[in-house]
Amino acid sequence: MSASALVVKDLRVELSDGSRLVDDASLRVEPGRVLGVVGESGSGKSTLSLALLGHARPGARITGGSVRIGDVDMLALGDRERRRARGGLIAYVPQDPAAALNPALSLRTQLEEAITAGAEERRERIAEVLRAVDLPADAAFLKRRPGQLSGGQKQRVGIAMAIVGRPDVLVLDEPTTGLDVTTQAKVLALVAELCRSRDMAAVYISHDLAVIADVADEVAVMYAGQVVETGSAARLVLAPRHPYTRALLGSVPDSRVRLRLQAIPGRAPAPAPPRQSCRFADRCGFATDACRSAAPRLVALDAPGGRTAVRCLRAEELGAAGTVRVAAPRAEAAPGDAALLAVRGLTAAYGRRPVLFDVDLRVRPGECVAVVGESGSGKSTLSQCIAGLHERTGGEVLLDGAALAPAARRRDALQRREVQYVFQNPYASLNPRATVGRSIGVPLRYFAGLGARARRGRVAELLERVELPAAVADRYPGELSGGQRQRVAIARALASDPRLLICDEVTSALDVSVQAAIVELLRGLQADGLSMLFVTHNFAVVRSLADSVTVLRGGTVVEQGATDRVLDRPEHEYTAALLADVLDVPLAAAG
């Protein structure tokens, strides 16, 4: 093994037309350390992570550079040798453990596939890695199939499969996206411990700067396929040098203080051939004519807290300033307001298994109530019961004092119109064969009886309300980014002119900049008088948006109260334990 476990030099990945997905990226990771790679969707993070294994997605190819692990260049190996190196020299953990686990095979079978040793050694190594990831190694557990595991267990099995071959380098692509704070904390601690105890290098891909600040030793920030800033994690979040890094940090919510979030204007550019300009110039508040006429190089600089490298013509001039983060005052609802939504003694089950127990909850006009808890706590079941998408087994749900039927199909048109639901995954909730205008137009025709011409005008107004141009109406969901799709889903819900909007994890998979834009959009809707029930595991978003919080544990409400009181002075030990696992960017980064 060389002094560095992983050395990447001038790595380039292109499409067939010469457009670059990754442009001359150079990285170095020492044994026992974690390199975090952060950036928006489309920045090239996942393309880079796959290229480290010598792989490119269909339509792309690796056209230059080297990826050395010790004395082995992954890109110089033949196909058979490269396949053999995957798992032995370098291993990969995908964001979705379902992509790594075969639902038809037992865990034992899948773990054994990665080991070429004899039966006795296979058993010993499987037991070793399962203990390392804090999972049981007994025969009963190994007989299970992936469908019998929780999301956190699946992710830990995915990590076990990656390390059972004892690789020198572990690549993790967004492994904690969508996990609750407790499970996320366990996975991050596991990654750090594995690197220390096994002298293994790791590359951790994420769009979550708080996660990167916690798990990584060094950080590489990517934009439009290029590495634009590198440095120690502590230095980078405290004193970012590149305007893009500062903009990302300005988009991050904080569980400790309610901030006015600052989304980055515009969109990241599509992959393109090399050009003589800064790729961030069109979105940068510091750009000059020089930035648009010369391509900056990645230049090493001395900075407080250690050396850094920055791809910015004005890096020296702008210096190492903290990100400006502005507090956002909370407009409290009047204490005497009657409840718009009242949930009393709600119980629910899946088959014979109870999942909700005697839940009480109320939402006042113009109020946002957050529902938080670990995965499996009953958050989504509660929201679906209120919307009539999961039939409750007991209790009642009232809207303005009138009882709502358990099933949406049994509610009248007015009741269905006044309670609208925005799902976590806009990819699945929008019809891929219908244009945006047609999807938004359906409730306009059904609830308002508008004709085709009136619908077109109203669709344009709704798109403007969620800060999308009217031209988006003619596009299909597949032509939009994830953040744009989520805005369309919100616009479709608003088309019914609802009084209560139920948001189920609507920001969980979004980039921090897109998340900031969605949070600010929802704040504006709340200021217009819309009430919201916001289901999430993200306490920073709770602080940013919610007026009050309901904490669920195992289907039971364990704490309720005003947001600032619950987050600052939790009364239940479970709430305190959840908050102890929350990750935030260090406060000094607020400037």
Side-chain angles (χ1 to χ4, degrees):
M1 177 68 63
S2 65
S4 294
L6 175 68
V7 180
V8 180
K9 187 174 181 181
D10 301 331
L11 180 64
R12 187 167 64 251
V13 182
E14 297 182 345
L15 298 173
S16 57
D17 64 359
S19 298
R20 294 191 178 179
L21 301 173
V22 174
D23 191 4
D24 296 330
S26 297
L27 305 166
R28 179 184 294 267
V29 192
E30 307 298 331
R33 297 181 71 79
V34 179
L35 171 71
V37 180
V38 68
E40 295 171 284
S41 294
S43 62
K45 305 187 303 297
S46 292
T47 301
L48 170 69
S49 68
L50 290 173
L52 299 181
L53 284 84
H55 178 74
R57 64 176 174 82
R61 56 197 177 96
I62 302 172
T63 59
S66 61
V67 177
R68 303 192 69 86
I69 302 169
D71 297 325
V72 177
D73 185 351
M74 288 290 295
L75 305 186
L77 298 176
D79 290 343
R80 180 176 297 178
E81 290 78 11
R82 190 179 298 124
R83 284 194 296 269
R84 191 178 298 120
R86 294 170 185 158
L89 280 178
I90 185 169
Y92 181 80
V93 179
Q95 173 179 342
D96 181 6
L101 301 176
N102 188 327
L105 299 179
S106 70
L107 301 182
R108 182 189 299 278
T109 299
Q110 298 185 65
L111 287 164
E112 286 181 342
E113 286 178 342
I115 309 173
T116 58
E120 182 61 29
E121 185 174 346
R122 286 202 303 271
R123 283 193 294 271
E124 291 177 358
R125 286 173 62 175
I126 288 172
E128 175 191 351
V129 297
L130 288 176
R131 285 193 297 268
V133 299
D134 195 26
L135 288 173
D138 56 82
F141 183 79
L142 288 167
K143 286 181 181 179
R144 293 189 192 181
R145 287 175 168 76
Q148 298 172 285
L149 306 179
S150 69
Q153 287 176 318
K154 289 178 185 177
Q155 195 59 277
R156 281 182 278 169
V157 169
I159 295 174
M161 287 180 61
I163 66 172
V164 74
R166 297 176 177 170
D168 295 321
V169 178
L170 184 63
V171 181
L172 304 104
D173 191 358
E174 301 271 15
T176 59
T177 297
L179 298 181
D180 60 66
V181 292
T182 301
T183 307
Q184 174 181 267
K186 291 177 180 177
V187 172
L188 295 178
L190 168 64
V191 171
E193 175 57 28
L194 288 173
C195 289
R196 284 193 299 267
S197 63
R198 294 167 181 259
D199 211 26
M200 181 174 60
V203 178
Y204 196 103
I205 310 293
S206 182
H207 63 258
D208 190 327
L209 283 151
V211 166
I212 290 297
D214 179 77
V215 74
D217 300 296
E218 291 84 29
V219 179
V221 181
M222 291 192 73
Y223 183 79
Q226 292 184 323
V227 175
V228 298
E229 183 167 6
T230 63
S232 72
R235 199 280 314 157
L236 189 138
V237 300
L238 293 174
R241 300 296 294 261
H242 196 283
Y244 177 61
T245 310
R246 294 183 187 180
L248 282 178
L249 287 163
S251 302
V252 178
D254 196 294
S255 72
R256 298 158 296 187
V257 59
R258 192 171 192 256
L259 298 171
R260 180 69 61 190
L261 305 184
Q262 305 166 47
I264 305 174
R267 293 182 61 186
R275 58 185 182 184
Q276 291 304 308
S277 66
C278 171
R279 299 183 185 184
F280 187 58
D282 292 340
R283 305 173 72 190
C284 180
F286 302 100
T288 65
D289 290 342
C291 301
R292 296 181 174 89
S293 59
R297 295 180 297 106
L298 194 65
V299 177
L301 301 173
D302 288 319
R307 287 179 64 80
T308 183
V310 186
R311 193 184 297 272
C312 177
L313 295 176
R314 302 188 65 194
E316 293 268 25
E317 177 186 350
L318 295 175
T323 303
V324 177
R325 305 174 79 183
V326 181
R330 189 185 307 280
E332 298 287 355
D337 286 347
L340 170 68
L341 174 76
V343 177
R344 299 173 182 167
L346 184 68
T347 60
Y350 281 96
R352 296 182 178 179
R353 181 171 64 90
V355 291
L356 289 177
F357 306 89
D358 196 27
V359 173
D360 291 343
L361 180 145
R362 65 195 297 266
V363 181
R364 294 175 291 180
E367 183 182 27
C368 176
V369 174
V371 180
V372 301
E374 294 175 279
S375 298
S377 62
K379 304 187 302 296
S380 292
T381 303
L382 171 61
S383 65
Q384 290 165 11
C385 285
I386 294 170
L389 303 176
H390 183 101
E391 292 198 29
R392 58 187 183 268
T393 57
E396 58 183 355
V397 177
L398 300 97
L399 188 71
D400 250 355
L404 296 178
R409 65 181 179 276
R410 296 177 183 168
R411 299 176 184 177
D412 62 38
L414 179 61
Q415 291 173 331
R416 288 197 297 271
R417 177 180 69 78
E418 291 190 329
V419 179
Q420 290 293 308
Y421 201 101
V422 182
F423 293 88
Q424 175 178 354
N425 185 359
Y427 295 84
S429 63
L430 297 175
N431 185 344
R433 296 181 178 84
T435 64
V436 166
R438 183 180 171 189
S439 291
I440 298 175
V442 169
L444 293 174
R445 183 177 68 249
Y446 179 77
F447 290 119
L450 299 183
R453 184 171 182 177
R455 286 201 304 272
R456 283 194 295 272
R458 181 62 178 145
V459 166
E461 292 174 5
L462 287 163
L463 288 173
E464 182 179 352
R465 192 176 183 189
V466 298
E467 301 177 10
L468 288 174
V472 168
D474 297 323
R475 298 183 188 176
Y476 289 87
E479 300 176 81
L480 306 179
S481 69
Q484 288 175 316
R485 289 177 185 170
Q486 198 60 282
R487 288 170 186 259
V488 169
I490 293 171
R492 183 180 59 182
L494 296 178
S496 304
D497 194 21
R499 300 176 67 193
L500 176 68
L501 191 65
I502 301 175
C503 300
D504 189 359
E505 299 277 16
V506 296
T507 63
S508 65
L510 301 178
D511 294 331
V512 289
S513 178
V514 178
Q515 174 181 268
I518 295 296
V519 168
E520 293 300 324
L521 166 64
L522 293 174
R523 273 184 184 164
L525 296 174
Q526 186 183 358
D528 292 340
L530 184 64
S531 300
M532 283 184 284
L533 187 73
F534 197 89
V535 176
T536 185
H537 59 257
N538 189 327
F539 281 88
V541 172
V542 169
R543 177 78 79 173
S544 296
L545 195 60
D547 299 297
S548 64
V549 182
T550 293
V551 184
L552 278 178
R553 181 185 189 185
T556 300
V557 175
V558 298
E559 185 161 2
Q560 289 178 315
T563 297
D564 292 339
R565 198 279 299 162
V566 172
L567 268 59
D568 293 338
R569 299 178 302 281
E571 296 176 355
H572 196 280
E573 60 182 11
Y574 176 70
T575 310
L578 288 177
L579 289 166
D581 288 330
V582 172
L583 298 176
D584 286 301
V585 172
L587 279 174

